[in-house]
Amino acid sequence: MRGDGRLSRLGWAAGGEPCAGAARLQVLGSLGSMAAKKLRRARLSQELCERLSRHQITTCQDFLCLSLLELMKVTGQSYYDVQKLLCKVSRACAPKMQTAYEMKLRKSVNPSSAFLSTTLHSLDKVLHGGVPCGSLTEITSPPGCGKTQFCIMVSVLATLPVSMGGLDGAVIYIDTESAFSAERLVEIAGNRFPTYFDSDEKLFCMTRSIHLYRELTCGSVLKRIMSLEEEIISKKVKLIIIDSVASVVRKEFDTKLQGNLAERSNFLARGASMLKYLAEEFSIPVSSSSFLKFLPYSIK
Amino acid sequence: MQREVGSLPLAPALRARLVAAGFQTAQELLETGPCGLSKEIGISKEEALEALQVVRQACHGEAARTAGASGATRKCTALELLEEEQAQGFIITFCSALDNILGGGVQLTKITEICGAPGVGKTQLCMQLAVDVQIPECFGGVAGEAVFIDTEGSFMVDRVVDIATACVQHCQLIAEAHQEEDHLKALETFSLESILSHIYYFRCRDYIELLAQVYLLPDFLSEHSKVRLVVVDGIAFPFRHDFEDLSLRTRLLNGLAQQLIIIANDHKSAVVLTNQMTTRIGQSQSTLVPALGESWGHAATVRLIFHWDNSQRLATLYKSPSQKESTIPYHITSHGFRDVQPPAVTQNAEDTEMNPRKRPRREEET
């Protein structure tokens, strides 16, 4: 549960290492931006970079995947020098160290934005506050139990101002079953918070900040997830909902066929790691709903 | 000194030239001197000097080895090792049953792997160990610091605060009961802030960041020499997706395992890895086995498998060079990783189900 200031999260990355912060804003693909970092940004000398590029080694990923002997061959340097080079490139890619104490201090600076309260008191009590910001939450149930209704309600909550327990931000809603109903959204908002949504204008303002994307295939869902980073910054998004992961995966992957299991896991893992990265980077809750029989890894 | 030129750790091009020029042993190179070398090979004097320094370094390392000095090789008798092992501390887990089957706790200088399904308590144990490694020596701990490398993002600071608070309280109770001078002194420095400040946290998002971090770990550990525990939670996650080239994956994993073993030995620290479980689809049924394949199974010295039995969590010692296989129940409470009350050690027939390849040990062998 990482819950500190929203965009100040980008701030610490930028403050600590300016080039790393700038690197993160690029389109990522499946790996983090550190891996795709070009070697010349790792402060290697120009001739060395040119020499390596002749062997098709241009990024840190290519460099670090080679063994020491291979590196000696392509760089033409001695064992000890290659080890020093390895440290240099690793330093360009490695994450920054923080002590647990620093993490705790950062959290205590802004405790209120650590959770999104669901306004269901017993659920909030069990979750120790609500849906945690900065991590993935999975909602699972047999069909018809109310997952989509829960997602719609949480979307309304996220648009509320902080004083009312909301996140005062936009919502990205990725809908794979076409189950989202805007009428229902307005109905929930009007009935739940009649005093706040007393005018049509307020309702329109709320609906304008919920961005709905209909994605019907696994590939388009993944593509959409990969493109979210820029949207989050430009639209000031504070909540991401995917409803639902399972339906689109079950449609496309029949696990009885050979090879499908691996591909399905691949798709899920890539999506999950990207979502986790977005959740932590922007300190927002990400919620994905799925059917009961479907529990791949622990998407907490 | 009689080392062949071809085996010296020089740049490959230079090595090739030396061999082509007819040099055979390192002794010859050193006798020639930098000026002579530069004239014969056609390199600059500075390059020749550098090469000779490399040769000297390599040969001195070898000379020290042949003279029997400790340093590059660990040549010692089994008696010395026994004394060392007995004097070594263990990192306790606060679950006495688990400590018992491990032979005292998580051992230093060894790699321990914890496998289990999601949600069974692997990260909880890792967080517990990161706190327990810091327990002062007078309370039975190793008074070390911890490095926590997180690849899944499941590290929760609030949870570590809970665990650390419970640990400090536990130590305070012991100090009150025994009323000894050094206990009270140790408690002055053993506080929540100091525990949290000595857990060094790295968040690695993909396998490249993990590789880079492990390359840099020896330098980090030399600077922070009190580190006695390195946790990598989990090792499987970054390697399980996006790897079409399985041979590259195996090679990288083996390299990682080697580096971690070196780190464990050189810095006298315990390395704890967490692994996921994967489904192996057999003829008529599917079984859960640790992920990353069979060859990865050789990397860890000690392997623990956490699993469920209805609603009871169980820990099985699956692989250990010195301890018997056994299964014990454990609990995750608000204070952390604990025994089940009352602590009941169950050594049941589940052992045979867990590893069909191993012959079950009988009671008489103990």
Side-chain angles (χ1 to χ4, degrees):
Chain A
M1 295 167 266
R2 275 155 250 270
D4 41 15
R6 313 127 207 188
L7 292 178
S8 68
R9 212 50 189 140
L10 274 181
W12 79 248
E17 242 195 271
C19 51
R24 278 218 180 94
L25 288 178
Q26 290 171 6
V27 177
L28 294 182
S30 52
L31 279 176
S33 59
M34 287 300 121
K37 196 166 181 178
K38 300 289 179 199
L39 284 173
R40 64 190 124 77
R41 296 210 317 264
R43 314 257 169 82
L44 290 187
S45 69
Q46 186 68 12
E47 339 102 67
L48 191 58
C49 291
E50 274 168 30
R51 188 185 171 139
L52 289 170
S53 61
R54 262 178 268 141
H55 294 269
Q56 268 91 49
I57 302 168
T58 47
T59 63
C60 292
Q61 178 189 358
D62 302 328
F63 194 89
L64 289 175
C65 282
L66 297 175
S67 69
L68 273 172
L69 288 177
E70 285 170 347
L71 282 174
M72 278 172 72
K73 199 173 79 164
V74 298
T75 59
Q77 297 193 4
S78 73
Y79 186 75
Y80 303 109
D81 286 334
V82 162
Q83 280 188 321
K84 278 190 230 144
L85 271 183
L86 214 50
C87 281
K88 212 170 179 186
V89 174
S90 301
R91 247 186 290 274
C93 294
K96 190 168 170 272
M97 192 268 287
Q98 10 168 3
T99 63
Y101 190 54
E102 289 165 13
M103 289 168 68
K104 176 164 168 279
L105 282 181
R106 231 176 322 160
K107 280 198 64 177
S108 55
V109 160
N110 210 343
S112 57
S113 64
F115 294 99
L116 170 61
S117 158
T118 59
T119 69
L120 302 168
H121 289 294
S122 13
L123 183 60
D124 281 345
K125 215 168 84 168
V126 168
L127 292 176
H128 284 287
V131 175
C133 291
S135 56
L136 287 183
T137 307
E138 184 185 17
I139 304 160
T140 306
S141 77
C145 282
K147 298 187 294 294
T148 306
Q149 299 299 309
F150 184 79
C151 290
I152 296 178
M153 188 187 79
V154 169
S155 321
V156 173
L157 292 176
T159 58
L160 292 178
V162 181
S163 52
M164 290 182 69
L167 296 175
D168 193 24
V171 176
I172 287 186
Y173 197 109
I174 301 179
D175 185 8
T176 65
E177 299 174 306
S178 303
F180 186 86
S181 153
E183 262 188 57
R184 181 70 181 134
L185 173 75
V186 167
E187 189 185 358
I188 290 180
N191 285 326
R192 197 67 194 277
F193 305 101
T195 48
Y196 182 74
F197 293 110
D198 46 8
S199 65
D200 279 349
E201 202 195 298
K202 283 254 179 70
L203 280 172
F204 290 150
C205 191
M206 184 265 298
T207 50
R208 253 200 302 270
S209 51
I210 298 189
H211 305 276
L212 182 70
Y213 298 97
R214 284 219 167 85
E215 310 291 349
L216 297 171
T217 64
C218 285
S220 59
V221 168
L222 201 55
K223 230 170 89 175
R224 176 63 59 194
I225 295 176
M226 298 300 173
S227 71
L228 279 181
E229 193 169 7
E230 299 184 6
E231 310 250 347
I232 295 175
I233 302 177
S234 59
K235 297 193 172 100
K236 298 205 195 342
V237 170
K238 290 282 173 289
L239 172 67
I240 300 179
I241 295 182
I242 303 183
D243 177 21
S244 77
V245 169
S247 68
V248 73
V249 165
R250 285 173 109 180
K251 272 191 296 201
E252 286 190 25
F253 294 106
D254 180 4
T255 49
K256 289 196 217 49
L257 295 177
Q258 255 204 357
N260 266 3
L261 197 57
E263 226 185 289
R264 188 184 86 164
S265 315
N266 211 352
F267 158 74
L268 287 169
R270 282 171 72 186
S273 68
M274 184 62 188
L275 288 172
K276 276 200 214 201
Y277 164 72
L278 291 173
E280 284 168 20
E281 188 66 34
F282 297 104
S283 212
I284 54 183
V286 178
S287 156
S288 78
S289 71
S290 54
F291 290 119
L292 184 59
K293 277 162 70 167
F294 180 72
L295 291 166
Y297 308 109
S298 62
I299 307 179
K300 297 192 284 265
Chain B
M1 282 304 170
Q2 296 310 308
R3 190 165 164 180
E4 265 200 47
V5 165
S7 70
L8 290 168
L10 295 166
L14 182 57
R15 236 188 0 232
R17 274 165 130 172
L18 287 172
V19 171
F23 285 98
Q24 279 191 333
T25 64
Q27 179 73 13
E28 279 184 60
L29 283 179
L30 290 173
E31 280 171 2
T32 317
C35 295
L37 205 59
S38 73
K39 277 192 215 112
E40 263 195 69
I41 307 294
I43 52 177
S44 75
K45 291 205 183 66
E46 288 80 24
E47 284 174 12
L49 183 61
E50 262 182 57
L52 284 180
Q53 281 169 347
V54 168
V55 172
R56 225 169 258 135
Q57 200 177 2
C59 289
H60 274 159
E62 221 178 275
R65 243 174 284 155
T66 47
S70 70
T73 41
R74 285 146 244 311
K75 198 177 76 168
C76 51
T77 62
L79 179 63
E80 288 166 26
L81 272 179
L82 179 64
E83 285 166 9
E84 229 181 83
E85 272 181 31
Q86 283 177 341
Q88 220 165 63
F90 292 89
I91 305 176
I92 62 171
T93 61
F94 269 115
C95 172
S96 56
L98 187 60
D99 287 338
N100 282 338
I101 64 169
L102 285 173
V106 172
Q107 228 178 337
L108 299 181
T109 76
K110 299 267 193 296
I111 300 188
T112 307
E113 186 182 357
I114 306 171
C115 317
V120 77
K122 309 184 289 291
T123 308
Q124 296 295 311
L125 180 59
C126 291
M127 295 196 280
Q128 180 76 57
L129 289 172
V131 169
D132 289 347
V133 73
Q134 307 192 36
I135 296 177
E137 278 164 356
C138 52
F139 292 108
V142 294
E145 301 173 356
V147 166
F148 199 105
I149 301 179
D150 188 5
T151 60
E152 296 174 344
S154 32
F155 184 81
M156 300 284 169
V157 187
D158 294 324
R159 186 64 179 139
V160 178
V161 167
D162 289 341
I163 295 177
T165 317
C167 185
V168 170
Q169 272 172 355
H170 187 91
C171 292
Q172 277 170 347
L173 286 175
I174 297 181
E176 271 167 40
H178 290 248
Q179 287 293 337
E180 274 173 45
E181 188 62 49
D182 46 352
H183 281 185
L184 298 166
K185 234 180 91 183
L187 268 181
E188 282 166 33
T189 45
F190 189 61
S191 66
L192 183 61
E193 283 80 38
S194 90
I195 295 179
L196 291 181
S197 325
H198 294 301
I199 298 180
Y200 304 111
Y201 178 78
F202 297 90
R203 173 77 169 96
C204 295
R205 298 243 152 78
D206 53 46
Y207 72 93
I208 291 296
E209 288 188 21
L210 179 61
L211 281 178
Q213 187 53 49
V214 175
Y215 279 131
L216 293 176
L217 213 44
D219 288 332
F220 183 83
L221 292 183
S222 316
E223 287 167 32
H224 299 84
S225 55
K226 286 188 72 186
V227 171
R228 287 286 169 273
L229 173 68
V230 175
V231 176
V232 182
D233 177 30
I235 195 112
F237 185 67
F239 287 101
R240 286 192 79 186
H241 56 102
D242 259 354
F243 253 101
E244 278 87 37
D245 187 3
L246 278 183
S247 58
L248 174 67
R249 185 179 94 165
T250 314
R251 186 153 64 78
L252 292 178
L253 281 173
N254 286 337
L256 258 185
Q258 268 185 337
Q259 277 160 1
L260 289 172
I261 293 177
I262 292 176
I263 288 172
N265 277 321
D266 283 349
H267 300 271
K268 265 182 125 52
S269 46
V271 175
V272 174
L273 312 171
T274 59
N275 197 357
Q276 292 172 351
M277 299 294 266
T278 184
T279 320
R280 185 185 298 164
I281 302 182
Q283 232 72 349
S284 53
Q285 51 173 29
S286 55
T287 46
L288 278 181
V289 296
L292 296 181
E294 294 283 335
S295 48
W296 176 249
H298 298 292
T301 320
V302 176
R303 214 175 207 188
L304 279 170
I305 299 195
F306 286 4
H307 53 111
W308 294 91
D309 179 20
N310 296 327
S311 55
Q312 175 61 54
R313 298 174 204 251
L314 298 172
T316 302
L317 184 65
Y318 187 77
K319 173 187 174 189
S320 163
S322 54
Q323 302 298 321
K324 204 164 83 135
E325 279 162 36
S326 13
T327 304
I328 52 108
Y330 66 90
H331 252 161
I332 312 268
T333 66
S334 57
H335 299 295
F337 208 82
R338 294 288 187 272
D339 275 310
V340 167
Q341 297 292 348
V345 181
T346 51
Q347 287 166 16
N348 47 14
E350 246 188 83
D351 291 338
T352 46
E353 282 164 40
M354 283 308 298
N355 8 318
R357 282 186 296 274
K358 293 196 187 184
R359 130 185 94 81
R361 297 198 199 197
R362 277 172 283 274
E363 288 296 309
E364 305 92 68
E365 283 182 38
T366 43

